Amino acid sequence: MDGQAIKVTLARTDDDIVSSFEVIRELRTHLTDATAFRDQVRRQMDDGYNLAVLRVGGDVAGCGGFRVHETLSRGRYMYVEDLVTSSKHRSLGLGDKLFDWLTGEARERGCAQLEIISGVQRGDAHRFYHRKRMSIKAFQLVLPLT
């Protein structure tokens, strides 16, 4: 990273979305096609999804997909659906920068809290979230319908 600019922006263009594909794939390994990914992200954006892209120089090094919701039980909150830094950029503090950017964005949008659901197998991620002062508040229960 030696002196390279680090910047987080929201994806606005198809190029922004497609450029994040390889990093998102590290988290969402079932994704195989950049065009299908772009189309899905566009559909999700129509439903309130936002994609934050962290760049080091011009290279995408991290991504955070999120939505802002409001419920009777939690009030207004940010739900982070996707949070990943590229494997070649891990342990450089970029996850902290992206998480802190998301936290600031949540505050700017009037959110009372930020939430993440994380698979039980993701121990490294859980250590990171605990270090960022997140706590476990609930279990997520799922009923497959297909």
Side-chain angles (χ1 to χ4, degrees):
M1 293 187 336
D2 307 321
Q4 295 183 59
I6 299 170
K7 185 174 184 181
V8 180
T9 58
L10 289 175
R12 301 274 186 224
T13 68
D14 287 351
D15 286 343
D16 290 338
I17 296 167
V18 171
S19 69
S20 69
F21 177 66
E22 291 301 325
V23 173
I24 288 283
R25 265 184 67 181
E26 292 188 38
L27 178 65
R28 305 294 179 218
T29 56
H30 66 281
L31 299 173
T32 59
D33 179 77
T35 301
F37 168 73
R38 179 204 62 210
D39 294 346
Q40 182 171 349
V41 168
R42 283 289 182 204
R43 286 191 306 276
Q44 290 179 203
M45 285 177 161
D46 290 342
D47 192 38
Y49 182 81
N50 298 272
L51 180 61
V53 181
L54 181 143
R55 295 180 190 275
V56 175
D59 297 331
V60 175
C63 299
F66 67 93
R67 299 173 198 257
V68 173
H69 296 288
E70 188 168 8
T71 64
L72 294 174
S73 63
R74 299 190 300 269
R76 190 170 176 86
Y77 67 98
M78 177 183 282
Y79 171 57
V80 177
E81 299 177 24
D82 312 293
L83 183 60
V84 61
T85 56
S86 72
S87 56
K88 67 181 181 180
H89 290 99
R90 289 212 182 105
S91 300
L92 300 174
L94 297 176
D96 283 309
K97 290 186 185 313
L98 184 55
F99 185 94
D100 294 347
W101 185 92
L102 289 164
T103 301
E105 187 73 9
R107 285 189 180 109
E108 283 184 27
R109 293 177 184 229
C111 297
Q113 62 189 28
L114 182 142
E115 297 182 9
I116 295 173
I117 295 175
S118 181
V120 295
Q121 77 283 4
R122 300 196 61 229
D124 289 342
H126 302 158
R127 282 187 287 283
F128 172 79
Y129 299 142
H130 287 300
R131 187 171 55 77
K132 297 304 282 183
R133 299 185 334 269
M134 296 191 86
S135 58
I136 298 169
K137 296 279 185 169
F139 289 105
Q140 178 188 20
L141 305 171
V142 177
L143 174 65
L145 299 175
T146 56

